[in-house]
């Protein structure tokens, strides 16, 4: 519970510090859960809890947290606010900072400990202690950007958008900051994902159709791109519009079906060990695609799937919607998009199995 409770009618006293918004992913380090909040006034902090939920340390930051917490070399953690990139140990000490400008600028960590972050100057490369190494300034004003690094090649990938000129691209940089290639995409507000074979997956939104409601089904706004390491397009998958009103079922559509084209893919894809690509959409659909872009399974439900999923060692996919109506955590098995069994269901199955192996149960 990261905010003060009082006996006031509204739950907290007028003017009290509210520190309950946890919008970004935590990290685990040395038996600690490290996460940040986006509260009011001076309640903006990074917290460390032990695995029993007991506070280990907290550290106040200069503004609203604007990124996931990333773990780098020597268990140092990295994150950004709208004005600052932070680096500190997982004990909350040895704090280093570097000025940045922007929102949703999630740092990426290279295998050599380098830190990559977007800012007004362009893409910045810094050493683990946040000393500047180089700036890629061919794309300036990167105020909202998430980068990713291929751990095998140290190639850095990041999306670039210029809404005034309607330019949206994916950039690939070599580890020395030189341009490798760039290619056209749609608007993207998440980090690329990199498969074991080097394929780069980018979740995008075609703004030209994002808010359109059509009487005929055509393209949806969600487009997942797959690129080869040399920048050539491998394939793209379009999330089709969703039927919102069937002909004759509603007074708003007496003559024709109605389709909502807003199927945006906002969160970064998650790649399974077998190459399966997992991602969700604003149309409340979660997808599992095979590496050749054919559907493995889909799940309809939840809310807008804006968060990146995580896969446990036993292969269960954990994903959380981040919409306005339904939250929660979903656990997916890998058989047709069915929900993984709950703990209660597992215990019930175990009881049945135990009973069946008793004398006379076979």
């Amino acid at each position: 519970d990261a905010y003060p409770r009082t006996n006031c009618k509204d739950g907290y006293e007028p003017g009290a510090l509210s520190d309950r918004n946890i919008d970004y992913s935590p990290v685990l380090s040395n038996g600690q859960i490290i996460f940040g909040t986006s509260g009011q006034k001076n309640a903006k902090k990074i917290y460390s809890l032990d695995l029993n939920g007991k506070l280990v340390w907290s550290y106040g930051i200069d503004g609203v947290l604007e990124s996931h917490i990333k773990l780098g070399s020597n268990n140092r953690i990295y994150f950004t606010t709208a004005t600052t990139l932070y680096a500190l140990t997982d004990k909350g000490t040895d704090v280093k900072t570097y000025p940045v400008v922007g929102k949703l600028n999630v740092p990426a960590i290279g295998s050599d400990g380098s830190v990559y972050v977007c800012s007004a100057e362009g893409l910045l490369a810094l050493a683990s202690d946040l000393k500047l190494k180089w700036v890629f300034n061919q794309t300036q004003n990167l105020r909202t950007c998430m980068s990713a690094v291929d751990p095998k090649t140290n190639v850095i990938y990041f999306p670039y958008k210029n809404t005034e000129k309607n330019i949206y691209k994916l950039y690939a940089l070599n580890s020395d900051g030189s341009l490798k290639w760039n290619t056209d995409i749609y608007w993207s507000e998440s980090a690329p994902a990199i498969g074991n074979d080097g394929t780069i997956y980018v979740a995008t939104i075609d703004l030209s159709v994002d808010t359109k409601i059509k009487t005929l089904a055509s393209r949806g706004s969600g487009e997942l791109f797959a690129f080869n390491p040399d920048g050539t397009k491998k394939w793209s998958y379009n999330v089709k519009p969703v039927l919102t009103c069937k002909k004759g079922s509603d007074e708003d559509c007496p003559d024709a079906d109605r389709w909502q084209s807003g199927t945006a893919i906002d969160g970064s894809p998650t790649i399974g060990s077998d190459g399966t690509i997992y991602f969700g959409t604003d149309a409340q659909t979660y997808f599992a695609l095979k590496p050749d872009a054919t559907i493995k399974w889909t799940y309809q439900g939840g809310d807008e799937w804006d968060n990146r999923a995580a896969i446990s060692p036993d292969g269960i996919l954990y994903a959380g919607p981040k919409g306005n109506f339904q939250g929660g955590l979903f656990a997916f098995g890998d058989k047709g998009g069915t929900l993984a069994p709950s703990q209660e269901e597992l215990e019930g199955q175990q009881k049945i199995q135990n009973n069946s192996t008793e004398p006379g149960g076979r």
Side-chain angles (χ1 to χ4, degrees):
D1 191 349
Y3 67 98
R5 293 186 183 275
T6 73
N7 292 323
C8 287
K9 184 177 180 180
D10 63 356
Y12 25 81
E13 25 176 86
L17 301 182
S18 176
D19 204 15
R20 59 180 179 173
N21 297 323
I22 303 173
D23 293 331
Y24 298 100
S25 300
V27 294
L28 295 175
S29 179
N30 287 327
Q32 300 174 84
I33 307 163
I34 303 173
F35 66 97
T37 60
S38 304
Q40 305 292 322
K41 298 181 180 178
N42 65 343
K44 307 171 186 74
K45 292 182 180 180
I46 302 299
Y47 291 92
S48 173
L49 308 180
D50 66 21
L51 298 184
N52 294 316
K54 182 180 179 181
L55 179 67
V56 178
W57 56 263
S58 66
Y59 179 81
I61 56 180
D62 68 358
V64 172
L65 182 67
E66 287 289 351
S67 78
H68 307 301
I69 310 292
K70 302 300 285 288
L71 187 65
S73 57
N74 300 320
N75 291 315
R76 292 184 69 84
I77 60 171
Y78 299 88
F79 55 88
T80 65
T81 65
T83 57
T84 307
L85 168 66
Y86 284 85
L88 54 154
T89 69
D90 62 2
K91 297 180 180 178
T93 61
D94 191 24
V95 179
K96 308 290 184 184
T97 62
Y98 193 90
V100 295
V101 177
K103 296 182 177 181
L104 301 175
N105 288 340
V106 179
I109 314 297
S111 57
D112 62 352
S114 296
V115 182
Y116 303 97
V117 67
C118 300
S119 192
E121 301 97 318
L123 186 80
L124 310 180
L126 304 104
S128 58
D129 61 357
L130 300 194
K131 292 182 179 178
L132 183 66
K133 295 174 65 175
W134 48 258
V135 180
F136 181 77
N137 57 14
Q138 293 183 31
T139 53
Q140 295 185 349
N141 200 30
L142 297 176
R143 296 177 180 270
T144 301
C145 157
M146 298 186 190
S147 54
V149 187
D150 188 327
K152 296 179 180 179
T153 63
N154 282 323
V155 174
I156 308 105
Y157 301 97
F158 68 94
Y160 167 74
K161 45 186 173 284
N162 185 324
T163 53
E164 293 181 359
K165 296 183 179 180
N166 201 31
I167 298 174
Y168 308 103
K169 291 182 176 292
L170 175 69
Y171 275 80
L173 306 183
N174 297 304
S175 58
D176 62 359
S178 59
L179 176 66
K180 186 173 185 179
W181 51 260
N182 66 68
T183 188
D184 292 326
I185 57 173
Y186 296 117
W187 169 289
S188 178
E189 55 184 45
S190 60
I194 303 166
N196 289 330
D197 61 353
T199 301
I200 307 101
Y201 300 96
V202 191
T204 71
I205 308 159
D206 184 352
L207 298 181
S208 68
V209 298
D210 188 48
T211 59
K212 292 182 179 179
I213 296 177
K214 301 183 178 182
T215 54
L216 295 175
S218 57
R219 292 186 68 255
S221 64
E223 191 90 15
L224 183 72
F225 286 91
F227 294 101
N228 294 304
D230 63 1
T232 57
K233 183 178 174 181
K234 198 171 185 178
W235 50 257
S236 68
Y237 181 87
N238 181 257
V239 180
K240 302 303 181 185
V242 176
L243 182 66
T244 59
C245 176
K246 191 168 180 60
K247 178 182 177 180
S249 65
D250 189 283
E251 61 181 11
D252 290 334
C253 54
D255 301 320
D257 293 342
R258 200 165 199 175
W259 300 81
Q260 171 63 50
S261 298
T263 58
I265 311 171
D266 293 325
S268 299
T270 299
I271 314 300
S273 59
D274 63 351
T276 300
I277 308 106
Y278 302 96
F279 64 95
T281 76
D282 281 1
Q284 301 180 6
T285 308
Y286 207 89
F287 285 85
L289 294 186
K290 298 178 182 178
D292 62 359
T294 57
I295 293 179
K296 191 173 187 179
W297 55 257
T298 63
Y299 174 81
Q300 188 66 41
D303 206 323
E304 296 182 359
W305 297 90
D306 292 349
N307 292 319
R308 190 172 194 169
I311 302 175
S312 65
D314 60 358
I316 300 299
L317 182 85
Y318 295 93
K322 190 185 175 184
N324 297 319
F325 305 106
Q326 297 182 26
L329 180 67
F330 287 70
F332 293 99
D334 205 25
K335 296 180 180 179
T338 55
L339 285 173
S342 66
Q343 185 61 38
E344 291 78 11
E345 290 171 328
L346 289 173
E347 292 173 354
Q349 292 172 10
Q350 187 63 49
K351 289 179 181 178
I352 293 173
Q353 292 172 1
N354 291 341
N355 291 336
S356 67
T357 57
E358 292 177 356
R362 295 188 180 184

